[in-house]
Amino acid sequence: MGDKGRVETLLAQAGHYLDRETGSVVPAIQPSTTFARDETGDLYDENRIYARDHSFNAEMAEAILCELEGGASCKLFASGMAAATALVQTLRPGERIVAPKIMYWSLRAWLITYCADWNVELAFYDPSNEEDMCSVVKAATTHMLWIETPANPTWEVVDISKAAELAHSVGAQLVADSTVSTPLLTKPIEYGADYVFHSATKYINGHSDVVAGAVITAKEDMRWERLCKVRAQQGGILGTFESWLLLRGMRTMHLRVERACENAMRIAQHFQNYPGVSEVIYPGLTSHPNHETAVKQMTGGFGGMLSIRFNGGREETAKIMGRMKYFVRATSLGGVESLVEHRALVEGEGSLVPDDLLRFSIGIENVEDLIKDIEQALDC
């Protein structure tokens, strides 16, 4: 971070914010939708015309995220889906995107429909198999390779450097969904990614009270220009108050992520080989097939997400979830509270997730309470 300080300092001080007029250490909310011109017709601020693409509060959060990721520019969106779909919409009809079979379910479903409707070729690869990724990418002219690492909810860890090398060897660009890693654990641009995507709803905000998305680019190229136009013209922007809340949440992100990582590791280690458990899936465990890759590209922890597969199949797994007291049965992840979800039930017909799997988003509670909660749900 150089003279800007280390990550923890940058976040805690909201990008070293200080209002020189009032001395305020907390940014004000600027809700104006339009910006005036002076008597000659010149803008008071040449960078501000209309709030749809010139939001003071959004730009503050964007600047910090850009710094964290080591990118050239960042744009916030009204949701993770708005950000991801805007990025895909930079592809032209006839171009090709390659994506993982296991990925964020809503985006996968949207990709299938959108690509079919708009003549964008879509191909899927197995994220647990590097050779399969390579063969799918090289099977036809590819323009965008999408990776999600760790992949939700089976937590495959993709080697970003190898994926970038593969994408660039065929003239494609690499997009890394780094939502679970956060900018604190993995910086995909350092490993060759062209774009980084985050559902900022999750760890970046961290309080389950903002829906937001973010895209960071390694350089302001032609695709970036298209992305900015898509956001401005379709209006998928983040509101002023939501931007302010997002920045507030970011100020404690380093503390929250550190605690979530510690708790998740404790839980993963405790339930590995535990009676009634068939498998614990967590990149921090040496038993994880991609553990070495995770060690290489995840610094400071292995994330707050893990999955546990239970004996007894779908029905017994659902009962175990129903007996939990501290874990909230809810969708989403990355908040301060711990959540549990039966992904196969939620995704429904066509889900590729094993039906004996529960996905856990580990929060910042006392880890002994969380461990005992899973134990009592299993032992009933």
Side-chain angles (χ1 to χ4, degrees), residues 9-18 60 64 247 251:
T9 305
L10 180 75
L11 288 170
Q13 296 185 2
H16 313 298
Y17 176 83
L18 180 64
M60 287 193 66
I64 296 173
L247 182 62
R251 297 180 76 159

Side-chain angles (χ1 to χ4, degrees), residues 2-57:
D3 60 359
K4 296 184 179 180
R6 298 182 187 276
V7 167
E8 298 88 346
T9 305
L10 180 75
L11 288 170
Q13 296 185 2
H16 313 298
Y17 176 83
L18 180 64
D19 187 323
R20 295 295 177 181
E21 290 187 13
T22 67
S24 171
V25 298
V26 176
I29 300 174
Q30 175 48 268
S32 182
T33 59
T34 191
F35 300 91
R37 299 173 184 268
D38 64 18
E39 295 82 356
T40 66
D42 291 332
L43 289 162
Y44 285 97
D45 182 340
E46 62 181 11
N47 295 316
R48 301 194 191 285
I49 300 174
Y50 187 61
R52 187 176 65 213
D53 206 34
H54 301 88
S55 167
F56 168 78
N57 292 99

Side-chain angles (χ1 to χ4, degrees), residues 202-249:
K202 313 303 193 293
Y203 289 100
I204 290 173
N205 173 57
H207 291 80
S208 303
D209 57 8
V210 171
V211 174
V215 178
I216 301 95
T217 184
K219 60 180 180 180
E220 295 180 327
D221 56 10
M222 187 176 297
R223 188 178 306 284
W224 182 252
E225 292 178 5
R226 292 178 193 167
L227 178 88
C228 294
K229 287 181 180 179
V230 169
R231 189 185 80 148
Q233 294 170 352
Q234 293 189 351
I237 63 165
L238 191 62
T240 296
F241 183 57
E242 289 77 13
S243 298
W244 185 87
L245 281 174
L246 184 68
L247 182 62
R248 184 204 60 179

Side-chain angles (χ1 to χ4, degrees), residues 310 319-327 329 340 358 360 373-374 376-377:
F310 297 90
K319 289 179 179 178
I320 291 169
M321 179 181 69
R323 292 194 289 261
M324 293 183 186
K325 310 296 184 184
Y326 289 128
F327 282 91
R329 292 174 288 278
V340 61
L358 293 183
F360 293 85
D373 193 26
I374 300 174
Q376 66 82 26

Side-chain angles (χ1 to χ4, degrees), residues 104-156:
Y104 176 52
W105 182 252
S106 293
L107 180 58
R108 186 180 189 275
W110 177 86
L111 275 172
I112 292 170
T113 301
Y114 175 82
C115 290
D117 289 345
W118 292 93
N119 191 32
V120 174
E121 185 179 349
L122 171 64
F124 289 109
Y125 66 89
D126 180 352
S128 66
N129 188 327
E130 289 182 2
E131 291 182 1
D132 186 57
M133 178 198 290
C134 184
S135 64
V136 173
V137 167
K138 292 184 176 181
T141 301
T142 299
H143 300 83
M144 182 180 288
L145 171 59
W146 192 287
I147 64 173
E148 182 177 333
T149 181
N152 184 4
T154 47
W155 317 121
E156 291 88 356

